[in-house]
Amino acid sequence: AGGADFGVKKMGLLANIVRQKRGGDARGSVKVQGKKWENLVAKPPTIRVSGGTAKGRKLSRPDVYLRPMMGKVKEALFSILREYNILREDATCLDTFSGCGSVGIEALSQGMGQAVFVDYSKPACKVIEQNLVHCGFGDRGAVFCTTAQAVYDKPEEALAAVRRGSFDLVTITPPYEEVDYSDLLKRIISSEKLLSDGAVVVVEYPVELGSLPGRIGGRLVGMRNRKYGRTMLAVYSLNPPTGIEPRPSEFGELRTTYLEAGKDLEKEAPPVAARKTVRRKGGI
């Protein structure tokens, strides 16, 4: 994924601009996604399926810190996805940085046939399996306990788990301060087998970055770029379907003010190929 110019500026990691401040001073209460909750008094928010066959089902969450997609953002996202006719039985979702699996489970609930969930945290992977069964999707989901980068680079094993040749929807909802977005996007557009023709790629990122580019690598066309509080959602398509026009006016310039070398966070970053344990549920 390195070397070539894909039209994605090198970003590096975000500066440590937002910290969990519950219990203890700001510096001491920084939380890394996938690590256990510590010194947090407030109860984590309840996560529910917002639509479809499993609407209203409460999702369990692991005993680690997660920053799940907010309910209002998830509802807005799936309203957009319905325009693309992507929520259909013969389509497959790849939910990366899955957490408790809320985005991929929402896709299954609203009509997608199958989903692959990827998270590096073992407790998160276990909870995703439980949530799939709880929502009645135990035979429609496969869970991979590995890095998102490993699956972007080599998606064959994940695709084999759902007997598909490529993914129709890829969601990228990482912990903002622990990833280099340019690295993730370059891996995705460099992969020849990851995306189907007409596939949709969704990227959740913080408003502090300004805007992701309206076109990535000559392959992904920016269709929508919306702001919900501090959260930005960029929706890209590989060869967009006819009848749905891109909206380049919704995209702007990358803001580099909040980027830094991120030396402290790099120590927390897992190696790309680490922990490739596969967990599967049901008879896929």
Side-chain angles (χ1 to χ4, degrees), residues 18 82 142 198 222 265:
V18 175
R82 280 191 287 274
L265 289 173

Side-chain angles (χ1 to χ4, degrees), residues 157-173:
E157 191 173 1
L159 288 165
V162 288
R163 299 192 180 100
R164 295 294 170 89
S166 54
F167 291 104
D168 304 288
L169 172 65
V170 176
T171 61
I172 309 168
T173 56

Side-chain angles (χ1 to χ4, degrees), residues 124-169:
C125 290
K126 184 176 180 179
V127 166
I128 294 169
E129 292 176 346
Q130 295 170 353
N131 284 333
L132 283 167
V133 173
H134 173 63
C135 293
F137 304 138
D139 61 344
R140 293 168 58 191
V143 183
F144 283 70
C145 195
T146 184
T147 63
Q149 294 95 321
V151 176
Y152 299 157
D153 290 347
K154 296 182 179 180
E156 291 85 357
E157 191 173 1
L159 288 165
V162 288
R163 299 192 180 100
R164 295 294 170 89
S166 54
F167 291 104
D168 304 288
L169 172 65

Side-chain angles (χ1 to χ4, degrees), residues 163-212:
R163 299 192 180 100
R164 295 294 170 89
S166 54
F167 291 104
D168 304 288
L169 172 65
V170 176
T171 61
I172 309 168
T173 56
Y176 295 158
E177 297 164 11
E178 297 173 45
V179 299
D180 180 341
Y181 281 90
S182 60
D183 175 67
L184 299 180
L185 293 170
K186 286 178 181 178
R187 290 177 188 276
I188 284 177
I189 60 179
S190 298
S191 179
E192 296 181 359
K193 298 183 179 180
L194 187 69
L195 303 175
S196 65
D197 190 46
V200 173
V201 176
V202 176
V203 187
E204 181 183 89
Y205 65 101
V207 69
E208 285 84 1
L209 278 179
S211 175
L212 292 181

